[in-house]
Amino acid sequence: MISDLRGATAIVGVGETPYYKRGTSPDDEQKLTLRAIVAACQDAGIDPRDVDGFASYADDANAGHTLIRALGTREMRWSSMVWGGGGGGTLGAVAMAAAAIHSGQAETVAVYRTIAQSRSGRLQDAVAHYDMGAHYTRNLISSPAQICGLRTQRLIAQGVPPSAFEALVRAQYFHASRNPRAQAYGKPLTGDAYRDARPVVDPFGLFDCSRENDVSVAVILTSAARARDLARPPVYLLGAAQGGIVGEAWENDPDYSSGGFEPIAARLWAMTGLGPDDVDVAQIYDNFSGPAVAAIISHGLCPLDAAGAFFTYDNLIAEGGLLPVNTSGGLIAEGNAHGMGLVAEGVRQLRGESCNPVAGAEVCLVTGGPSTPLLSSALLGTAATV
Amino acid sequence: MRWDPVAMDGVIHSMTWTRHPFSTSMVSITPFVSVLVALPQAGGARLLGTLAGAADDSAIGAQVEGVIASTDEGLPALRWKLTT
């Protein structure tokens, strides 16, 4: 059944700080957050004092009530957090903002994520601390890279060739090479350089791994009715779902190779009336290359047994690709805002403002956090889709 | 509901070479093989661990047997060895 939320809210503003190398931000987390929210308000053409709601995820340290004095907020009506330590909550936070607006509890909500090493430490440690207890660390598993490596080795055993990961990473570096915000701006990646990279955890080399940055990214959501009166073309939230893969215990979910999005994708299609064939472009959470490939497969965008033919460089780039993926460069090549950069790029793509525009793109899939008990996805659409 | 002891005979469900030392306790032992081991006699329940001893023949599907080792902090930890 099509959800009432379909097209009821829209993203009307995007703002971000530069992607600073981790540990090098000139500002603390709160100031980074304020910069991003104010920039998003300027983009939307709204007064920052009119933001009346705040939503984030991954235990972000910058709660709404710590921001309102600096923003001059007239009335804070909503402030909420999606639990969890990883990027799986990204689209859950967007959905929470939409729920607040649709139910009349807020009108204009900022969704944001801020990371600065000076405040929150290394991102990889924060994620590991949340999801990887003593039965991991005492067995010498202390990085998400190791768990993602184990899952990806299983994906390879299921028939997905390593060429899929190389194709995705090189497509992302191509996109980033043309994106002035990206860490890899001006730096496309050759196949030889990819394969010669320092090994990290099999099958991942250095370029299969996301970066860590000091950064804040914010978007502003409001009602569809208000969105139409604002400065920018509204990008509508068509649907969003959160949940995750469940097993009897951690690392015991039934299909260890899966990205785990099957139930979320099913709900996403049902609530929007859309299907995998309607997705024109995708921004896929890419902590590592393998889980991103698994996420695409588990959304039904590519059958597992066709992955070798599907995941090619030509299919994944914005210019003529069958499914352009991570058109900003993603966490791997643009920079790591823990997933919010993917939301920002989804909006830019549907406004026609991406550095790597996909001709005629109307529907964009955005995902957060593969292969964990907390995942989320959303479909964004242009005015033509509502 | 009760706990039943089972033999520590398992099958490698997945494995990977950890080549970067993510913590100080890994520095002297990288590269090493991290494993997820399934126990058929426990309904296929899976346990994380590290492969000890010869690892060159490790692969998904290989048979392993477990031992309880001790970490530097004296905590029990799972180490697995290939059986031939």
Side-chain angles (χ1 to χ4, degrees):
Chain A
M1 192 173 123
I2 307 295
S3 168
D4 285 350
L5 277 171
R6 191 190 196 286
T9 63
I11 298 174
V12 294
V14 175
E16 64 203 341
T17 68
Y19 285 88
Y20 300 107
K21 184 175 168 56
R22 66 174 175 84
T24 69
S25 168
D27 298 318
D28 65 14
E29 278 195 357
Q30 186 176 78
K31 188 168 179 183
L32 290 174
T33 309
L34 294 166
R35 287 170 60 188
I37 291 175
V38 169
C41 289
Q42 285 171 338
D43 181 53
I46 64 172
D47 187 331
R49 291 174 294 186
D50 289 333
V51 172
D52 62 357
F54 302 88
S56 189
Y57 58 99
D59 291 356
D60 191 287
N62 304 280
H65 71 271
T66 67
L67 306 173
I68 56 178
R69 292 168 189 85
L71 287 171
T73 305
R74 293 189 168 97
E75 183 181 23
M76 185 176 82
R77 298 204 289 158
W78 181 272
S79 182
S80 61
M81 162 66 59
V82 175
W83 285 311
T90 310
L91 288 312
V94 172
M96 202 159 53
I101 294 162
H102 187 58
S103 60
Q105 297 181 81
E107 185 176 54
T108 306
V109 180
V111 183
Y112 55 94
R113 177 79 176 103
T114 307
I115 310 162
Q117 189 173 310
S118 61
R119 167 73 186 259
S120 296
R122 291 287 302 269
L123 181 62
Q124 66 172 26
D125 294 339
V127 173
H129 172 74
Y130 210 101
D131 287 342
M132 302 169 75
H135 59 301
Y136 288 71
T137 53
R138 71 177 59 178
N139 293 313
L140 300 175
I141 307 266
S142 64
S143 168
Q146 293 171 284
I147 293 298
C148 291
L150 284 168
R151 289 184 177 274
T152 301
Q153 295 288 55
R154 191 76 200 175
L155 190 68
I156 292 170
Q158 300 276 78
V160 174
S163 61
F165 315 130
E166 178 180 334
L168 179 63
V169 170
R170 289 194 55 230
Q172 293 190 204
Y173 267 83
F174 170 69
H175 293 147
S177 75
R178 308 200 300 180
N179 171 5
R181 296 183 308 277
Q183 302 279 284
Y185 179 50
K187 298 175 188 168
L189 182 68
T190 66
D192 284 344
Y194 172 84
R195 289 185 292 272
D196 291 345
R198 176 164 66 82
V200 177
V201 173
D202 290 358
F204 305 142
L206 188 63
F207 295 111
D208 293 286
C209 304
S210 56
R211 292 156 188 266
E212 290 185 55
N213 294 99
D214 288 1
V215 61
S216 181
V217 177
V219 300
I220 305 291
L221 263 78
T222 193
S223 65
R226 182 158 186 250
R228 284 188 275 273
D229 295 331
L230 294 175
R232 316 290 308 162
V235 171
Y236 293 90
L237 181 65
L238 303 178
Q242 64 172 305
I245 54 175
V246 180
E248 197 170 74
W250 291 77
E251 315 309 330
N252 275 256
D253 37 295
D255 179 358
Y256 198 63
S257 69
S258 173
F261 285 95
E262 290 86 350
I264 287 176
R267 277 187 270 141
L268 205 53
W269 309 135
M271 70 174 63
T272 59
L274 299 171
D277 291 345
D278 294 310
V279 175
D280 299 314
V281 56
Q283 316 300 336
I284 303 292
Y285 190 86
D286 54 324
N287 49 356
F288 303 95
S289 59
V293 167
I296 291 168
I297 293 170
S298 69
H299 276 88
L301 297 173
C302 162
L304 191 141
D305 59 9
F310 181 88
F311 286 95
T312 65
Y313 178 82
D314 288 341
N315 274 350
L316 299 172
I317 60 171
E319 291 174 356
L322 196 60
L323 180 70
V325 173
N326 292 355
T327 48
S328 66
L331 280 65
I332 284 176
E334 181 185 45
N336 189 341
H338 217 182
M340 274 306 294
L342 302 173
V343 181
E345 175 63 12
V347 173
R348 290 196 176 99
Q349 191 60 254
L350 296 181
R351 286 177 176 177
E353 296 173 354
S354 172
C355 299
N356 294 282
V358 173
E362 304 282 2
V363 174
C364 179
L365 173 70
V366 189
T367 75
S371 306
T372 75
L374 172 66
L375 310 170
S376 57
S377 293
L379 288 170
L380 305 178
T382 63
T385 65
V386 296
Chain B
M1 181 80 183
R2 64 178 199 273
W3 296 98
D4 292 324
V6 296
M8 289 184 66
D9 298 325
V11 178
I12 294 179
H13 189 72
S14 193
M15 58 151 285
T16 187
W17 283 89
T18 296
R19 301 184 184 277
H20 174 78
F22 292 98
S23 65
T24 51
S25 55
M26 294 184 196
V27 171
S28 63
I29 58 166
T30 46
F32 63 93
V33 173
S34 302
V35 288
L36 183 64
V37 175
L39 303 178
Q41 65 278 24
R46 301 177 207 142
L47 298 168
L48 286 170
T50 301
L51 204 64
D56 287 347
D57 294 331
S58 59
I60 288 174
Q63 306 274 331
V64 291
E65 61 182 18
V67 294
I68 307 293
S70 180
T71 67
D72 295 343
E73 301 84 29
L75 299 169
L78 284 169
R79 300 291 180 264
W80 299 89
K81 289 182 177 170
L82 291 168
T83 55
T84 49

